[in-house]
Amino acid sequence: MDKLLLIDGNSIMNRAFYGLPLLTNAEGRYTNAVYGFLNILLKTMEEEAATHLVVSFDLKGPTFRHELFADYKGTRKGMPEELREQMPLVKEVLGAMDVSICEQEGLEADDLIGSLAESFYSQGMEVTILTGDRDLLQLAKDRVKVSIPKTKAGGTTLEHYRWEDVVEKIGVTPPEYVEVKGLMGDPSDNIPGIPGVGEKTAVKVIRQWHSIENAYAHLEELPKRFANLLQEHYEQAVLSKRLAAIVVDHDPGIALGDCKLDTLFTPEAHKWFSRLEFKSLMDRFPVQEGNRMQEGAFLSSRRLTVCESLDAMDLEGAGSPLHYHWIREPEEDYFLWCGDGDAVRLLAVRNPEREAFHAKLRGLLCNQAVEKRTVELKEQLHRLDLELDAGNKSVLDLGLAFYIIDPNRSGYSIAEMAQTFLQKAHGTEEGLLGKGKSRIAYGDLPAEDRAAHLANSLEVLMDISPLLLKKLEEVEGLTLYYDMELPLVSVLKSMETQGIQVDAEVLQAYSAHLAVMIGEVESEIHALAGGPFNINSPKQLGTVLFENLGLPTAKRTKTGYSTAIEVLEKLRPVHPIAGKIITYRQLAKLKSTYADGLFPYIREDGRIHSTFNQQIAATGRISSTEPNLQNIPIRMEIGREIRKAFIPAPGHVFVDADYSQIELRLLAHLSKDPNFILAFREGLDIHSMTASQVFHVPFEEVDKDLRRKAKAVNFGIVYGISDFGLSQDLDIGVYEAKKYIESYFNQYPHVKSFLDRAVEEAKENGFVTTMYGRRRPIPELASSNHIQRSFGERIAMNAPIQGSAADIIKIAMIHVHDRLKKEGFRARLLLQVHDELLVEAPVEEKEAVQALLVREMEHAAALEVPLTVDVQTAANWYDSK
């Protein structure tokens, strides 16, 4: 049987908006409501096996109900601007998906849904109505189901109501439900009802008398209190019923054939999903026509040839540029390549031939006379146990180049490049093979499907590479790619291979020590609370703090009292339990994330091999994952102690080199502020000097407190801090913080001019650049939302500084790595933590390595002020700082 799904657009958009955090795409458009709406729509369609679909929306303006009652919906708050912006957007997306949209001036979505449900029900169809509005329960029938989303245990489920469900769960029939609404009213729509009558009373009366009018005809048989209320407010109750009643005899203007589902995943929809960055939904799109092919068929103008052996793999004679794509499976490799003007060739390589296959690829990558274009170069270097010379500029990693062009994206896959540069869909590997435990291997696919997907992957690379190169040139990113990002690939590969040694016994002892400390703090908290409770339960903790102890500043959430860190910080001066809870959470985090969390990452060689990512941070910074070794705690002393577990190999030491205040030095250089420049050139303590200038005290009289405040101002300025933000950091009034910032800019006017200029240029150009030409697009500056624009302005102030610092440390890493190799050192670079480099060196090399690090890091960039480096040697990472 055909089934119609009717969706209450405004209701489900509202639910999706509040159910997800605010999300924006690279253009700065809010997307969370649209994303949530589409997920709910698609999930419900699949569950209902719908054959027809209509989404109905309210239009702004009065309806016939306003003529009946001028104050109808008069108390309803306006729609948040962030949601309002998404209403026309979701209609655009639904239009691209060929979804029928029903909306009419003067009518509400409820009436259109009711009319559609009645019309299609009468034609013998099954109907499901998806809404968050219980008013639509009056439409339920044997073949009309009303589904209402409910949040339970952190997830969303649907409560389904047919005729019998309404009777069972509400206590009246669906047509009688509007009678109940007439008696009890509806505050959300400002429907008055009868004052003092709630749902329980209304249901009881209607269950017995079935209508307001019939109950009124039997006033003498009603309870006296209710009878008096009904007699006094009878006309208001009847009016309320009319306001709540859904009209089902309108002509919605949609016939059965108009809303029949074909495919929602159209090329136009794919463009919207890609533009809005709905990555998790992209795999629903089918592979485009022409993407299925057999050996001997054509890929555009290129013929696919399946090779039988390595003998056919003449890579260096294939022509330049040579495009290739390499998929590695446990038992088999799939390698595709195409030289300039050549056919696309596919070779499957099994284990016995792998070493010979790898030898051919090593030769290809090291041959600088052949230009190569591919993706995931770092992973390939791992497979081949290869590092490229720093001067080898023969490989273009298209994903890495794409990152330079648009660093704000969340991914740089072949599918995303296909959509961005070719405006066409290309199925992802995850969509083809599945993920997790259900993932299959390429070898399990039918040969035709496997060849089609792999060959089309290579064709995408071939088609986009000239477009991408042109765009890379337009954004002036060629030098950045070939001189910085490409040589850095081999450096990061080396660091990942080296790993860092961990003393498991020290880590275990640290974990045990934390467990003791956690137990002690837990006992102290229970003593202060007057008894034991589950500290990890926000609900129990909220009860203890705000009911048992009666502490102030209670903030309610949907599930109880808020016990977030900002609430606990406010309570810290009020009661000692707040500080103890903060300490408890910090210790528990240290134990679970670091002390215990690092154990699974220790490999058989006793070392942790983190992954260093080039294509994640929009600032250009390198990030570390699995595990994140850049986030090892240093602020708390007990947190810093975990560094004692990180040790050099026997006979080696750690050499740790750290740039001193590089971002402030860059601020001095970029702003050309003479006071700043003079301070750094003369080696003055910059925070003491700022304190002297801003707080008008002699330099020699600056105490620790003034220096602390000046330090907060210095670094706050770099990050575009607001008056309020500085007031929070220093625990002072907003007015006082504003005076600090004004005084700072009076003393350093060139800094103010530089920051203002950065914002203005970003607004004009849409991006900012680092010293080395790295662009950071800032779409937030074009947002209609003030908060988003303010965020964009802070990015514009900070990105040139933070991005330049990231570029300088990358240059230093390349130079240090290259010098260590060329000069025959056995020392190796292990870690980069923002402005810090950690090298493992044989004891006999430590002085030479120290000198090398200082020399290469201090000469990585030529600034108006000196770049200074602090360097230490130690027997563990803790003692190196």
Side-chain angles (χ1 to χ4, degrees), residues 439-711:
R439 185 188 187 277
I440 64 173
Y442 271 97
D444 296 330
L445 291 172
E448 181 182 328
D449 291 347
R450 180 172 64 243
H453 180 79
L454 292 173
N456 277 280
S457 296
L458 181 64
E459 186 181 37
V460 168
L461 300 184
M462 289 188 286
D463 287 344
I464 67 168
S465 67
L467 303 175
L468 191 147
L469 268 173
K470 182 181 178 182
K471 187 65 176 177
L472 194 60
E473 189 172 358
E474 287 175 3
V475 302
E476 300 178 349
L478 287 170
T479 300
L480 188 66
Y481 174 81
Y482 284 112
D483 291 351
M484 187 183 301
E485 296 295 352
L486 178 58
L488 187 66
V489 173
S490 287
V491 179
L492 298 182
K493 179 267 173 186
S494 174
M495 290 165 55
E496 292 173 359
T497 300
Q498 293 294 324
I500 183 169
Q501 187 161 319
V502 178
D503 189 327
E505 291 184 0
V506 171
L507 193 61
Q508 195 166 15
Y510 177 69
S511 177
H513 178 54
L514 286 172
V516 172
M517 294 181 69
I518 291 168
E520 292 172 351
V521 175
E522 184 177 36
S523 297
E524 293 172 353
I525 291 170
H526 289 162
L528 290 168
F533 68 99
N534 183 359
I535 303 171
N536 297 314
S537 166
K539 184 175 182 180
Q540 292 186 34
L541 179 58
T543 301
V544 168
L545 295 178
F546 304 112
E547 294 182 10
N548 298 358
L549 297 179
L551 300 184
T553 69
K555 179 181 176 182
R556 298 287 302 195
T557 67
K558 290 182 180 180
T559 56
Y561 296 102
S562 171
T563 59
I565 183 64
E566 60 269 18
V567 174
L568 295 174
E569 288 289 358
K570 289 180 181 178
L571 292 175
R572 196 194 282 264
V574 179
H575 196 288
I577 196 172
K580 296 293 184 184
I581 293 166
I582 292 172
T583 300
Y584 174 87
R585 288 182 177 177
Q586 290 170 335
L587 294 174
K589 173 74 172 177
L590 285 173
K591 188 174 189 304
S592 62
T593 302
Y594 300 106
D596 299 338
L598 289 176
F599 270 104
Y601 292 103
I602 303 174
R603 296 190 191 173
E604 292 181 1
D605 61 0
R607 301 172 81 91
I608 286 177
H609 299 261
S610 181
T611 298
F612 297 96
N613 308 291
Q614 281 174 275
Q615 298 170 211
I616 290 182
T619 58
R621 277 187 166 185
I622 298 165
S623 67
S624 166
T625 54
E626 297 183 5
N628 184 355
L629 294 181
Q630 294 179 332
N631 205 31
I632 299 296
I634 58 172
R635 293 188 178 181
M636 293 173 60
E637 177 56 30
I638 185 62
R640 283 190 69 241
E641 287 187 10
I642 196 172
R643 289 191 170 205
K644 293 178 179 178
F646 292 86
I647 59 173
H652 291 65
V653 294
F654 281 153
V655 184
D656 189 296
D658 194 0
Y659 278 118
S660 172
Q661 300 171 334
I662 188 172
E663 291 188 347
L664 292 178
R665 293 173 189 272
L666 281 167
L667 179 59
H669 171 78
L670 294 170
S671 68
K672 303 294 188 285
D673 190 276
N675 290 334
F676 243 148
I677 290 172
L678 181 64
F680 281 120
R681 285 180 176 175
E682 294 188 354
L684 299 178
D685 180 272
I686 192 67
H687 301 312
S688 295
M689 191 199 77
T690 298
S692 175
Q693 299 269 5
V694 172
F695 303 121
H696 308 292
V697 297
F699 183 87
E700 60 275 7
E701 294 181 17
V702 172
D703 59 20
K704 288 183 178 180
D705 184 57
L706 286 179
R707 186 182 184 280
R708 177 184 63 84
K709 291 179 179 179
K711 184 176 181 180

Side-chain angles (χ1 to χ4, degrees), residues 5-16 37 40-41 44 48 54-56 58 109-111 113-114 128-140 144-150 156-161 177 246:
L5 175 60
L6 293 172
I7 296 183
D8 184 348
N10 289 72
S11 172
I12 300 304
M13 278 289 286
N14 194 68
R15 179 177 183 84
F37 178 93
I40 294 171
L41 179 150
T44 308
E48 295 294 326
V54 179
V55 181
S56 185
D58 293 322
D110 290 3
D111 301 307
I113 289 171
T128 295
I129 299 169
L130 180 65
T131 180
D133 186 354
R134 288 168 64 88
D135 285 355
L136 275 78
L137 292 178
Q138 60 190 278
L139 301 176
V144 178
K145 178 174 65 178
V146 180
S147 297
I148 299 178
K150 294 290 182 183
T156 299
T157 59
L158 291 177
E159 286 188 355
H160 302 295
Y161 293 86
Y177 186 66
I246 294 174

Side-chain angles (χ1 to χ4, degrees), residues 13 77 331 415 446 524 649 685 709 721 769 808 848 854 870:
M13 278 289 286
K77 292 182 180 180
E331 300 298 326
E524 293 172 353
D685 180 272
K709 291 179 179 179
I721 200 168
T769 59
I808 289 172
V854 171
D870 300 321

Side-chain angles (χ1 to χ4, degrees), residues 274-493:
S274 177
R275 182 177 174 183
L276 299 176
E277 300 172 13
F278 295 160
K279 290 179 62 178
S280 65
L281 300 176
M282 298 297 286
D283 286 335
R284 292 174 174 265
F285 287 85
V287 178
Q288 290 187 331
E289 284 298 318
N291 280 5
R292 294 180 61 85
M293 57 187 192
Q294 298 175 346
E295 180 183 355
F298 282 91
L299 268 172
S300 300
S301 61
R302 307 177 185 95
R303 185 177 296 276
L304 173 67
T305 300
V306 177
C307 300
E308 298 299 331
S309 71
L310 278 175
D311 295 337
M313 191 175 171
D314 181 17
L315 299 178
E316 298 180 43
S320 184
L322 184 137
H323 295 80
Y324 71 88
H325 186 43
W326 178 13
I327 299 293
R328 181 176 177 84
E329 293 283 352
E331 300 298 326
E332 197 164 23
D333 286 40
Y334 298 94
F335 189 81
L336 296 98
W337 74 99
C338 181
D340 187 27
D342 199 359
V344 174
R345 301 184 186 276
L346 168 61
L347 174 67
V349 183
R350 297 193 65 81
N351 276 327
E353 296 181 303
R354 269 182 167 168
E355 187 48 50
F357 168 61
H358 288 174
K360 282 180 176 284
L361 285 185
R362 290 189 193 97
L364 174 69
L365 285 168
C366 293
N367 184 349
Q368 299 188 44
V370 179
E371 182 182 348
K372 283 82 63 178
R373 297 176 185 176
T374 186
V375 289
E376 298 180 349
L377 176 61
K378 178 156 67 77
E379 177 59 29
Q380 294 180 26
L381 297 182
H382 274 295
R383 296 173 193 170
L384 299 172
D385 192 20
L386 176 68
E387 292 176 24
L388 300 180
D389 293 337
N392 187 336
K393 299 182 179 181
S394 66
V395 188
L396 180 64
D397 183 324
L398 298 173
L400 187 52
F402 189 16
Y403 165 72
I404 293 173
I405 292 167
D406 187 359
N408 284 339
R409 300 185 71 90
S410 58
Y412 301 90
S413 67
I414 294 176
E416 287 165 313
M417 287 191 279
Q419 175 56 44
T420 302
F421 292 99
L422 306 177
Q423 289 76 53
K424 75 175 187 179
H426 174 72
T428 65
E429 182 177 300
E430 188 174 280
L432 182 72
L433 305 174
K435 59 182 179 179
K437 294 181 179 179
S438 62
R439 185 188 187 277
I440 64 173
Y442 271 97
D444 296 330
L445 291 172
E448 181 182 328
D449 291 347
R450 180 172 64 243
H453 180 79
L454 292 173
N456 277 280
S457 296
L458 181 64
E459 186 181 37
V460 168
L461 300 184
M462 289 188 286
D463 287 344
I464 67 168
S465 67
L467 303 175
L468 191 147
L469 268 173
K470 182 181 178 182
K471 187 65 176 177
L472 194 60
E473 189 172 358
E474 287 175 3
V475 302
E476 300 178 349
L478 287 170
T479 300
L480 188 66
Y481 174 81
Y482 284 112
D483 291 351
M484 187 183 301
E485 296 295 352
L486 178 58
L488 187 66
V489 173
S490 287
V491 179
L492 298 182
K493 179 267 173 186

